[in-house]
Amino acid sequence: TYTNREPSRPNCPSCGRPMLLVRSIPGLGGLPELHVYSCRQCGVSFTTAAEPVGQAGAQAGGRGATV
């Protein structure tokens, strides 16, 4: 499950200004949602993977595993 709120805006690594979230790409097949940020001042952009709610530190492939 992912949050429906807008993620926090990172600062541009080049000029330090807050970046804009320009696109969210839904996660498919167990992959995380992707967020694309862009800086209107200097044109730098990058993509980050959203972290699932309640899954911080969880191991990949651990769905339904029992011991």
Side-chain angles (χ1 to χ4, degrees), residues 3 9 12 14 16 19 22 25 28 39-40 43-44 49 56 58 63 67:
T3 61
R9 292 170 49 175
C12 176
S14 180
M19 299 182 81
V22 294
I25 303 167
L28 298 172
C39 177
R40 294 210 177 183
V44 170
R63 282 186 248 149
V67 179

Side-chain angles (χ1 to χ4, degrees), residues 5-63:
R5 65 182 176 83
E6 184 175 322
S8 61
R9 292 170 49 175
N11 291 331
C12 176
S14 180
C15 71
R17 291 179 179 224
M19 299 182 81
L20 297 175
L21 176 64
V22 294
R23 180 174 294 180
S24 287
I25 303 167
L28 298 172
L31 297 174
E33 179 176 281
L34 299 177
H35 297 150
V36 181
Y37 296 93
S38 180
C39 177
R40 294 210 177 183
Q41 180 68 27
C42 61
V44 170
S45 63
F46 64 84
T47 303
T48 62
E51 193 169 313
V53 174
Q55 295 295 317
Q59 293 179 350
R63 282 186 248 149

